[in-house]
Amino acid sequence: MTAPGSGTAAAAPCPLCDGLGGLLVARQPLWRVVRVDDAVTVAQHPAFWRLIWNTHVAEFTDLPRAERIACMDAVAMVERTVRHQLKPTKINVASLGNVVPHLHWHVVARFANDAHFPQPVWASPQRPADPMAVQALQRRLSDVDEALREALA
Amino acid sequence: MTAPGSGTAAAAPCPLCDGLGGLLVARQPLWRVVRVDDAVTVAQHPAFWRLIWNTHVAEFTDLPRAERIACMDAVAMVERTVRHQLKPTKINVASLGNVVPHLHWHVVARFANDAHFPQPVWASPQRPADPMAVQALQRRLSDVDEALREALA
């Protein structure tokens, strides 16, 4: 199977083998970085990227050490670039994969006034999303993507 | 200040500089591993460890690369040991720190029948925790801690 993720076909259909998983920002042989573009995320936490491992492995420790290092070097570069560009209150990084067990790292810029802060983005909202703040952030995203593209080239 | 975490004193009081942050499992100069022992976690997701960086830094990318690698080598060793010992459905790994901005990585063994699966442990529960399953898991924890202690020595 030649999938957009260039991944090995999994036993079950895998959306990260069969699709890119978001708006493609950068791509290297081992991984790709996408910006999350589902409607709920965009409306609440638009500064949300994922580093997706191209081949289908479920867990971080399914990778040999050299690939784990390459993976986290790239995650760190995403984090560093997003911090530099957006000066968030905090960065959240997570590899969960309970729904889609194909290794991917969420990198989310969090702000003290966002809908869930200080709770994780997966928790119950703490307040309504502020449309002005969200829109201001959305206007920055193409610049951040461009900075990520350069940093990850 | 000589704190249990051996951390540099932060401007604001930091519970991970001032305390261990859980049941101490293993300790090295750069980091320590604790098992989370708050009542809610123990009752729902008892197989929950944290790797806590000993010095006070907020973000993963506040570390130089060699320390990031050492950090993730240790996180990977926790993950690998927990996988081997408990055969969970999935491992969840996350560095959030919105409430306590002192670098720590959550490593959680998730099971298909746990209270939140397949949602993150921070989301709304999907079902009540199964007391029998939780108790069976709790009985395994001292063995897992011992395996972690050996693996992280």
Side-chain angles (χ1 to χ4, degrees):
Chain A
M1 179 177 106
T2 304
S6 299
T8 305
C14 170
L16 297 183
C17 287
D18 295 342
L20 288 171
L23 294 169
L24 186 65
V25 173
R27 186 185 182 99
Q28 292 286 345
L30 294 176
W31 46 259
R32 61 192 183 271
V33 171
V34 302
R35 177 150 53 79
V36 179
D37 63 347
D38 71 84
V40 173
T41 300
V42 169
Q44 293 193 328
H45 301 285
F48 194 138
W49 290 266
R50 286 193 188 115
L51 182 133
I52 302 169
W53 201 250
N54 285 332
T55 52
H56 187 91
V57 297
E59 302 283 11
F60 184 54
T61 50
D62 289 335
L63 300 181
R65 181 170 186 263
E67 295 193 351
R68 289 201 312 269
I69 292 172
C71 181
M72 297 313 292
D73 279 347
V75 168
M77 186 60 82
V78 174
E79 175 179 307
R80 185 181 297 115
T81 303
V82 170
R83 288 180 71 185
H84 181 73
Q85 291 285 318
L86 297 178
K87 310 282 189 289
T89 307
K90 188 71 188 68
I91 292 280
N92 290 177
V93 179
S95 172
L96 306 176
N98 305 322
V99 176
V100 180
H102 175 134
L103 180 63
H104 58 283
W105 285 91
H106 306 282
V107 181
V108 192
R110 301 297 310 278
F111 297 89
N113 65 348
D114 76 32
H116 293 79
F117 201 89
Q119 295 304 309
V121 297
W122 305 281
S124 300
Q126 303 293 298
R127 63 193 68 82
D130 175 348
M132 298 288 281
V134 169
Q135 285 163 30
L137 196 49
Q138 287 168 343
R139 283 192 293 269
R140 304 286 315 281
L141 297 178
S142 59
D143 285 350
V144 184
D145 287 349
E146 184 55 34
L148 284 167
R149 208 168 281 123
E150 287 179 22
L152 296 166
Chain B
M1 180 175 106
T2 304
S6 298
T8 305
C14 171
L16 297 183
C17 287
D18 296 341
L20 289 172
L23 295 169
L24 186 65
V25 173
R27 186 185 183 101
Q28 291 286 345
L30 294 177
W31 45 261
R32 61 193 184 270
V33 171
V34 303
R35 177 149 54 77
V36 179
D37 62 347
D38 71 84
V40 173
T41 300
V42 169
Q44 292 193 327
H45 300 285
F48 194 138
W49 289 265
R50 285 192 189 115
L51 183 134
I52 302 169
W53 201 251
N54 285 333
T55 53
H56 187 93
V57 297
E59 302 283 10
F60 184 53
T61 50
D62 289 335
L63 300 181
R65 181 170 188 264
E67 295 192 352
R68 290 201 312 271
I69 292 173
C71 181
M72 296 314 291
D73 278 348
V75 168
M77 186 60 83
V78 174
E79 174 179 307
R80 185 181 296 114
T81 303
V82 170
R83 287 178 73 185
H84 181 72
Q85 290 285 318
L86 296 178
K87 309 281 188 292
T89 308
K90 189 70 188 69
I91 291 282
N92 290 177
V93 179
S95 171
L96 307 175
N98 305 321
V99 176
V100 180
H102 174 133
L103 180 63
H104 58 283
W105 286 90
H106 306 282
V107 181
V108 193
R110 301 297 310 279
F111 297 89
N113 64 349
D114 75 32
H116 293 78
F117 202 89
Q119 295 304 308
V121 297
W122 305 281
S124 300
Q126 304 293 298
R127 64 192 69 81
D130 174 349
M132 297 288 281
V134 169
Q135 285 164 29
L137 197 49
Q138 287 168 344
R139 284 193 292 270
R140 304 287 314 281
L141 297 178
S142 59
D143 285 350
V144 183
D145 287 349
E146 184 55 34
L148 284 167
R149 208 167 282 124
E150 287 179 21
L152 297 166

